[in-house]
Amino acid sequence: MANQQPATRPANPRFSSGPCAKPPTFDLTKLADAPLGRSHRAAVGKDKLKAAIEGTREVLGIPADYKIGIVPASDTGAMEMAMWSLLGARGVEMLAWESFGSGWVTDVVKQLKLDAVAKTADYGEIVDLASVDFANDVVFTWNGTTSGVRVPNGDWIPADREGLTLCDATSAAFAQDLPWDKLDVTTFSWQKVLGGEAAHGMLILSPRAVERLESYTPAWPLPKIFRLTKGGKLIDGIFSGATINTPSMLAVEDYLFALDWARSVGGLEGLQNRANANTKAVADFVELHDWIDFLAKDPATLSNTSVCLKFTDDRIKDGAAFAKAVAKRLEAENIALDIGAYRDAPAGLRIWCGGTVETSDIEAMLPWLEWAFEAEIAAQG
């Protein structure tokens, strides 16, 4: 059949899974109020940082007695800080079903050298959650950014657990329901669902996590950038805007704008609805085309942010080369940028469906995906 290019193009071709698309109303003038050239310890800087913390609490519905801190090095820094500061007091179970979760296993087993139980699953699956022993501390990712799967809910985490739960929620926060009463440590970065700028991480601690910090000293030395306590007490300033190191006030202003935009679309519920609508558009496309499918095997675990796809057509001779060629065609036409699968993941595509993406852009992009697929099949001969 003739492979004619579709007539409609996405208004915004940015479907990267991080850094992700900016909110639709963004432009640089929105950051004009950033206190550039001012100390982050001046009153204006402290006020901005505190607004970022309390805005996070408001939009995500985080309990008042949970601590929220802005820390360096994005989600990675927040997770490393938590693991190095908290683990070792009791047994540890590491749950991994994608690249970043596997990285946390490596850190705990090879760097901290803890005798941890590592439970892993292939890309597209998650581990048997019913088998987790919560007498241990449990470390896991809520949403697998590189595998397109997520934890369906928090029902598997008991309220009377003995250990702590440490949750990397970087591509779940602001798009999925996070049961705060089941999460003792939660981390994410600004660059995902709200489309913020990179390099800053969020560290959220329950009262149980704070108690552990104040009662346990790890066997290993902690670099200054990781230290959350002094003299056996939590450094409370970290959780009120006195950051460990100098933050970018331009990035802070950008995050404040994103939080305001989130409120304008209905807060957390509005953001979830937008992500769900985007994912449904992709699901409808997958249902109609037998040459493509989700990497996630169980619909109950399908991510509504980092949607990972695989090609299933028997005519494809080299899956990795084919997927790269399709992504390259779409980028060359300025239809979809940065949608190749993560480097450690199976061959395929990854389409970001978080709330900053407009459903109309997803719907305009998908016919082009079909066009690129047909063009590559024809090119194979």
Side-chain angles (χ1 to χ4, degrees), residues 27-36 38 44-45 47-48 249-250 252-254 256-257 260:
D27 65 65
L28 288 173
T29 63
K30 307 291 186 182
L31 309 184
D33 197 39
L36 304 184
R38 294 294 310 276
V44 62
D47 288 347
K48 295 278 189 182
M249 296 311 298
L250 191 64
V252 171
E253 193 70 25
D254 182 71
L256 291 173
F257 160 76
D260 282 341

Side-chain angles (χ1 to χ4, degrees), residues 126-141:
I126 61 174
V127 302
D128 178 11
L129 299 176
S131 70
V132 178
D133 182 0
F134 285 94
N136 299 317
D137 293 333
V138 179
V139 182
F140 68 102
T141 55

Side-chain angles (χ1 to χ4, degrees), residues 7 22 43 66 77 138 149 173 229 260 286 309-310 319 356 367:
K22 308 295 288 183
Y66 277 49
V138 179
V149 297
T229 60
D260 282 341
V286 168
L309 301 167
K310 60 184 179 181
T356 58

